[in-house]
Structure formats: C-alpha cells, structure tokens
Amino acid sequence: MSADCVFCSIIKGDLPSEVVVSTDRVVAFRDIAPQAPVHVVVVPREHHTDVAALAAVDPATLADLVEVAGEVAEREADGEYRLVFNTGPDAGQSVFHAHGHVLAGRKLAWPPG
Ligand code: DGP
C-alpha cells in the first residue's frame, strides 16, 4: 500500500467507489469520470506504479486482472471492449497505481486520441 495513492485508498475502503468485482488479487470499480457507457478500472490489490512494473514482479496478478476485465465486459457489454493501460504521463496516466481501463458500450474510434 502507498499512503498517498487514491487507488490504495479505494482498495482499503477509505474512499468510496462502486466495486463490481473483488478477488484476492484484484479489484474492479467504476471510473469516476466515465469515457464510455461501461468504464471500469481493474487494479491489483498490491501497489505497483504501472502495468510494466506489475508484469515484471507479479505476472500472475496481471493475468488475473486481464481475466477480470474480460468478465466485466462479458457481463456488461457482450464481450466487446477495449482494455487500456495508460503508462506514463505522456500516455495519459494520472494515477500511478497499475490499472486497466475496460471501455465498452459504444463504438470506439481508432486510433485513440
Ligand atoms: P489514468 O489517467 O489512465 O491514470 O486513469 C486514472 C483513472 O482513475 C481516471 O480515468 C479517473 C479515475 N479515478 C481517479 N480518481 C478516482 C476516484 O477517486 N474514484 C474512481 N472511481 N476513479 C477515479
């Protein structure tokens, strides 16, 4: 856990959120600023700065995260979705706790902006 990390606070229950999946290794909750009808963030319970750091240290949890993302998309969007890992400020990362965005429920443009 990181004391000043918003996602660690959500995982601990110190900050409210709408949790949609909770397992021993990952938590999925609705994004506070949804960019699509379905916008869920899936995060590891343990603090890692980004997806690359998570993959290097704990690939099994990254596999769980991807599996949970797919489950959310199956349940809420018939399995058609985009899974996004913004990595680094120039790529749009603003919370430095690894997370995947599940975006679904509308036609998604390509390439992203
Ligand atoms: P990124 O920009 O890729 O690091 O994504 C961070 C996302 O986290 C962003 O879409 C907004 C979301 N977010 C930030 N703070 C909160 C919060 O307190 N609650 C929830 N549910 N989502 C948050």
Side-chain angles (χ1 to χ4, degrees), residues 6-7 10 15-17 29-33 39 41 86 92-95 99 101:
V6 65
F7 288 173
I10 288 173
L15 254 188
S17 70
F29 52 89
R30 296 202 191 281
D31 196 287
I32 201 169
H39 188 170
V41 178
N86 295 329
Q93 187 175 8
S94 60
V95 176
H99 56 282
H101 295 260

Side-chain angles (χ1 to χ4, degrees), residues 61-98:
T61 293
L62 178 55
D64 279 8
L65 188 160
V66 172
E67 188 178 338
V68 166
E71 286 169 11
V72 170
E74 278 297 333
R75 193 190 315 148
E76 301 200 11
D78 295 331
E80 295 195 29
Y81 65 109
R82 187 170 292 164
L83 179 57
V84 177
F85 295 92
N86 295 329
T87 306
D90 281 356
Q93 187 175 8
S94 60
V95 176
F96 291 86
H97 179 128

Side-chain angles (χ1 to χ4, degrees), residues 4-85:
D4 57 354
C5 171
V6 65
F7 288 173
C8 286
S9 296
I10 288 173
I11 291 160
K12 273 195 288 180
D14 291 348
L15 254 188
S17 70
E18 187 181 342
V19 173
V20 296
V21 178
S22 178
T23 75
D24 56 340
R25 291 205 273 214
V26 304
V27 179
F29 52 89
R30 296 202 191 281
D31 196 287
I32 201 169
Q35 302 300 311
V38 176
H39 188 170
V40 170
V41 178
V42 191
V43 310
R45 286 187 176 277
E46 287 198 0
H47 184 88
H48 301 276
T49 304
D50 58 32
V51 68
L54 174 61
V57 172
D58 189 357
T61 293
L62 178 55
D64 279 8
L65 188 160
V66 172
E67 188 178 338
V68 166
E71 286 169 11
V72 170
E74 278 297 333
R75 193 190 315 148
E76 301 200 11
D78 295 331
E80 295 195 29
Y81 65 109
R82 187 170 292 164
L83 179 57
V84 177
F85 295 92

